[in-house]
Amino acid sequence: MKRFYKAVFIVFILLVLMFAVQQGMFEHLTDSNWVAHFIVDKGGFALLVLLLVGALFTAVGGPRQVIAFVFGFALGGIYGGIFSTLAALLGCVFAFYVARFTIRSSLQRRFGKRLQKFETLIIHKTWLKVLMIRLLPVGSNLLTNLCAGATHVPAGGFMLGSVLGYLPQMLIFSFAGAGIGLSDHNQLGISIGLFILSSLIGAYLYRSSLRKQVDELETE
């Protein structure tokens, strides 16, 4: 029975992905003008659709920076940053639980040693370790989500660290999108300032012992 539910879940995921691709939703999601007009025309319904499609887009490996830029263009720097961060978090949750409930055993067989190292790295003080990893310019968002889902890493700490780590970068790209959309140099200036601040934090983390451990995982 458990296998049956897993099979149904996987089929459902594939059908949703096929529908999104068939309707051109991923293509529309990266079009700033289309998204802005869609929100004006459909209002709250458009926001719900874009939130779900944005979550699905990031869950399958789409760059979250793209949706941050697009939503910033359509909603403004602050609201676009928060909205895109929420979409990325939902995508993170989606990928995490797909790995945990459907392909966990397969991932463990294929990447057992690497997953064990990853789990050892973040099993304690999970939210802080994940926050640092999200701020570091390393790795794949999708692979990090899948690896966490395939281990015993606590979901709550992983999600908290992820959303805190996502937010600075999403705000950077959201303010950049808002600045271009409104031809507002102040918004672009905020984006540049946030980028410098984020880079300084990243430079500090680059020298940390955590960076060395993450590099070991990346090169294996």
Side-chain angles (χ1 to χ4, degrees):
M1 186 61 69
K2 189 176 180 180
R3 289 184 179 180
F4 173 76
Y5 287 132
K6 285 184 177 181
V8 170
F9 186 54
I10 292 173
V11 170
F12 173 75
I13 292 169
L14 292 175
L15 288 175
V16 171
L17 287 172
M18 288 174 59
F19 177 79
V21 172
Q22 190 177 45
Q23 297 298 313
M25 293 304 298
F26 288 162
E27 182 179 350
H28 290 318
L29 188 66
T30 59
D31 185 337
S32 301
N33 289 309
W34 185 92
V35 169
H37 288 307
F38 185 50
I39 292 174
V40 171
D41 290 340
K42 302 298 183 180
F45 174 75
L47 292 176
L48 177 60
V49 171
L50 291 171
L51 180 64
L52 295 176
V53 175
L56 191 60
F57 179 75
T58 58
V60 298
R64 62 183 183 274
Q65 297 88 344
V66 170
I67 63 170
F69 184 91
V70 171
F71 291 148
F73 182 93
L75 299 173
I78 294 177
Y79 290 117
I82 294 173
F83 191 78
S84 58
T85 300
L86 180 57
L89 176 62
L90 290 176
C92 173
V93 171
F94 185 76
F96 179 93
Y97 282 109
V98 164
R100 180 149 294 186
F101 292 144
T102 62
I103 58 174
R104 182 175 184 172
S105 57
S106 299
L107 290 173
Q108 288 178 340
R109 284 195 299 269
R110 178 67 178 83
F111 304 105
K113 185 177 179 181
R114 187 172 181 178
L115 288 176
Q116 186 176 9
K117 282 192 172 185
F118 180 81
E119 181 175 350
T120 301
L121 174 64
I122 68 172
I123 194 68
H124 301 294
K125 297 183 179 178
T126 300
W127 76 271
L128 181 60
K129 299 286 186 65
V130 174
L131 167 62
M132 295 173 73
I133 290 174
R134 295 302 193 189
L135 289 174
L136 287 169
V138 296
S140 160
N141 179 55
L142 175 59
L143 289 179
T144 300
N145 296 337
L146 293 177
C147 286
T151 62
H152 296 93
V153 170
F158 182 76
M159 301 309 167
L160 177 60
S162 293
V163 71
L164 293 177
Y166 286 154
L167 187 58
Q169 191 177 70
M170 304 303 267
L171 286 171
I172 289 170
F173 282 88
S174 181
F175 273 103
I180 291 175
L182 299 173
S183 297
D184 187 342
H185 295 295
N186 290 329
Q187 302 255 23
L188 289 173
I190 292 173
S191 176
I192 294 172
L194 288 171
F195 175 76
I196 293 173
L197 179 60
S198 178
S199 297
L200 290 174
I201 295 173
Y204 170 76
L205 295 176
Y206 187 89
R207 300 174 182 274
S208 71
S209 59
L210 177 64
R211 172 64 194 226
K212 296 178 182 179
Q213 296 175 65
V214 173
D215 280 341
E216 290 178 1
L217 290 174
E218 290 294 313
T219 55
E220 285 186 352

